[in-house]
Amino acid sequence: MKRLLSFMFCFGILIFWSSCRNDFEFSPSQGQLEFAKDTIYLDTVFSNIGSSTYNLKVYNRSDEDIVIPTIQFENGTDSRYRMNVDGETGLEGAQEGKFFEDVELLANDSLYIFIETTIDITTLGALENQFLYTDRILFDAGNHQQDIDVVTLVKDAVFIYPSKDEITGTIETLSFDIDGDGVIDDTTTQGRFLTDEELTFTNEKPYVIYGYAGVNPGKTLTMEAGARVHFHADSGIIITDGASLHIDGALSSNPDLLENEVIIEGDRLEPLYEDIPGQWGTIWLYNGSTNNRINHATIKNATVGLLVEGNPNATTDKLTITNSQIYNTSSFGILGRATSISAENVVLNNSGQSSFAGTYGGKYNFTHCTIANYWNSSFREYPALLLNDYIVDENNTVYVNDLTEANFNNCIIYGNDNPEFLLEQQGDVFQFKFSNSLLRFNNLNLSGNGIYDFEDSTFYANNVFNEDPDFEAPYDNKLRIGADSEAIGIGSSEFTVATDLLGNPRSGAIDAGAYIHTTFDE
């Protein structure tokens, strides 16, 4: 009996092995591979900044198991591309990620190839500021060869970054007078101060900043019309005590290209990152900085678009911002702390907290501005607009500072929540007024009482509440108003700005917000 069982067991193994061994018999590829696409476009990258990972799916539609003799880049080990084939990196050494041998692919199955690149544009011999770099992925050789094109646009840039100690690996940090006592304070903020030669950003090349670029006291950073500024993660600009920021964009003839606008965003150029909030830090107008002005700028995808601190009683407002838009900020669009801001034709939208927050008192005057918040990435605690006159420290001590002015004239304050403005008063001086504006506020628990008494002409005059602004596409940061907008004609000529954000003249009945109304294309 035991001998019979032993024989049957051995016979079963023999039959099983015989029936399966065909699974391991692979025939050479005969050029019959199929591909999900015929060209891999790796989106535009900056010189020496790695791309995202892109994929190619390769199919074996036949009923035979095949082996692909080679998969390689046409440029061989000199290729600036690298790939991974179904989790494998290929041969070691110089050919790693460049050359693969005997890649097996089962019948009616597929595999993935993942492609990345990092390119130093100076090695390409390009005389221009951008270079189209191409290569091909070759499958097999000779008569059976198949290929897929790989294409990347590489941009040159001016790179600004802190130094790094080669021995300790320590990265340079900024030191400056933080508290205004005349003593230089050390910080842990990685970055460096701009040299005099770096204080003018032109439109000749994009600027890519790692860490925080500081502007020394008495110096002015100027960004000329058409400049493009890109920040790496956790990076930004700090304008210190006595320094200034001048962003001098101009009206563009093409509203899609914005050729004269100064555009400030992250350093990832792929479409995937086009509207991702929180990719970089902030532009920080530090306490004591002075005469800061911004005109025709687009600031997007920051943590805080503009952080403005101090100098609430300055003769000239701490910041004057005109004809600009700030959106896709993971925290605040503009965060003011006991400061003074003048704004005209400004659009703020899509912020994880408030699009505008004037905190710890100060002085704020907004005219023909659209302050909206259509954030839908997570829960947000605050409305589109927040005003208060206090701060609370780590010991839960409350400090109060006068809100001497907060005027919102011919504005739209709206969003996808309700209410979309919040007033928090602790002190005795809390001066504000909303005039000729379209406001979203429909909260029975607050309205009609105290500072929310909308019949009190001291604080509210000629406003329209909770009516449709008819925005073009607010979740896509398109805040023009349409022909059905309730903001049409509610503005006052007492406060009007001659042209809107796009340079269209305001005449006749005055529309609230940064744009005059238009008829949208179907």
Side-chain angles (χ1 to χ4, degrees), residues 159-176 185-195 198 209-216 234-235 238:
F159 290 88
I160 297 171
Y161 50 87
S163 63
K164 182 177 182 180
D165 189 292
E166 294 183 0
I167 298 175
T168 65
T170 303
I171 298 176
E172 180 182 6
T173 56
L174 290 171
S175 297
F176 60 99
D185 303 294
D186 293 330
T187 76
T188 59
T189 302
Q190 293 181 351
R192 68 170 175 84
F193 282 95
L194 298 173
T195 65
E198 295 172 323
I209 297 175
Y210 285 71
Y212 275 80
V215 180
N216 273 308
D234 302 317
S235 300
I238 291 180

Side-chain angles (χ1 to χ4, degrees), residues 406-479:
N407 297 311
F408 300 88
N409 303 315
N410 295 357
C411 291
I412 298 175
I413 300 169
Y414 223 82
N416 59 0
D417 203 353
N418 178 52
E420 284 295 3
F421 66 91
L422 177 64
L423 310 172
E424 298 178 326
Q425 179 180 2
Q426 293 278 349
D428 296 328
V429 179
F430 199 82
Q431 300 295 328
F432 70 91
K433 190 168 186 178
F434 297 90
S435 301
N436 299 89
S437 296
L438 175 58
L439 309 174
R440 184 165 196 183
F441 194 106
N442 188 13
N443 189 317
L444 296 178
N445 294 323
L446 295 175
S447 59
N449 299 311
I451 55 178
Y452 296 109
D453 181 359
F454 301 139
E455 302 301 320
D456 188 340
S457 60
T458 304
F459 302 120
Y460 303 92
N462 305 313
N463 299 298
V464 173
F465 287 86
N466 306 312
E467 299 293 341
D468 186 6
D470 190 24
F471 289 133
E472 180 177 7
Y475 289 97
D476 296 325
N477 297 305
K478 297 179 180 179
L479 276 298

Side-chain angles (χ1 to χ4, degrees), residues 10-273:
C10 293
F11 181 78
I13 290 178
L14 179 63
I15 294 298
F16 178 80
W17 178 82
S18 299
S19 64
C20 293
R21 69 178 183 178
N22 286 337
D23 292 343
F24 299 97
E25 292 180 356
F26 289 84
S27 303
S29 170
Q30 300 295 312
Q32 73 272 41
L33 298 173
E34 294 184 19
F35 306 100
K37 57 191 78 171
D38 57 13
T39 303
I40 306 298
Y41 295 100
L42 280 73
D43 293 297
T44 306
V45 296
F46 282 120
S47 178
N48 290 309
I49 294 181
S51 72
S52 295
T53 302
Y54 296 78
N55 67 73
L56 169 68
K57 197 169 186 180
V58 182
Y59 300 92
N60 173 17
R61 303 289 195 190
S62 73
D63 295 326
E64 294 185 3
D65 301 334
I66 62 173
V67 59
I68 307 169
T70 58
I71 301 176
Q72 62 183 312
F73 287 112
E74 185 175 46
N75 290 334
T77 57
D78 292 330
S79 179
R80 271 68 172 188
Y81 295 108
R82 54 191 178 272
M83 59 180 159
N84 177 299
V85 178
D86 258 5
E88 301 294 331
T89 57
L91 300 181
E92 296 181 356
Q95 298 197 81
E96 184 175 0
K98 317 282 187 182
F99 188 88
F100 298 77
E101 288 184 312
D102 298 330
V103 178
E104 297 174 348
L105 184 53
L106 297 175
N108 296 300
D109 203 354
S110 61
L111 60 81
Y112 274 103
I113 296 179
F114 301 94
I115 305 103
E116 298 175 336
T117 188
T118 305
I119 301 173
D120 182 352
I121 199 171
T122 62
T123 66
L124 303 180
L127 299 178
E128 297 81 12
N129 293 333
Q130 62 185 33
F131 190 95
L132 192 65
Y133 181 70
T134 64
D135 203 341
R136 290 194 302 165
I137 303 175
L138 307 181
F139 297 83
D140 207 341
N143 294 332
H144 297 152
Q145 179 180 297
Q146 297 176 268
D147 57 75
I148 294 293
D149 292 324
V150 188
V151 180
T152 306
L153 181 64
V154 189
K155 283 181 174 286
D156 197 6
V158 176
F159 290 88
I160 297 171
Y161 50 87
S163 63
K164 182 177 182 180
D165 189 292
E166 294 183 0
I167 298 175
T168 65
T170 303
I171 298 176
E172 180 182 6
T173 56
L174 290 171
S175 297
F176 60 99
D177 183 5
I178 294 176
D179 47 19
D181 61 0
V183 178
I184 300 299
D185 303 294
D186 293 330
T187 76
T188 59
T189 302
Q190 293 181 351
R192 68 170 175 84
F193 282 95
L194 298 173
T195 65
D196 287 350
E197 293 74 21
E198 295 172 323
L199 286 173
T200 300
F201 288 4
T202 71
N203 61 8
E204 296 175 5
K205 291 183 181 181
Y207 292 78
V208 180
I209 297 175
Y210 285 71
Y212 275 80
V215 180
N216 273 308
K219 304 292 184 179
T220 298
L221 170 60
T222 301
M223 299 183 187
E224 296 180 346
R228 301 293 188 259
V229 183
H230 301 262
F231 293 104
H232 198 60
D234 302 317
S235 300
I237 290 174
I238 291 180
I239 311 297
T240 62
D241 185 12
S244 301
L245 172 67
H246 292 171
I247 298 180
D248 296 330
L251 184 65
S252 299
S253 59
N254 188 323
D256 295 320
L257 295 178
L258 295 175
E259 71 278 6
N260 294 322
E261 191 102 347
V262 174
I263 299 179
I264 301 172
E265 58 185 321
D267 65 350
R268 300 307 298 265
L269 304 182
E270 302 93 328
L272 174 65
Y273 293 89

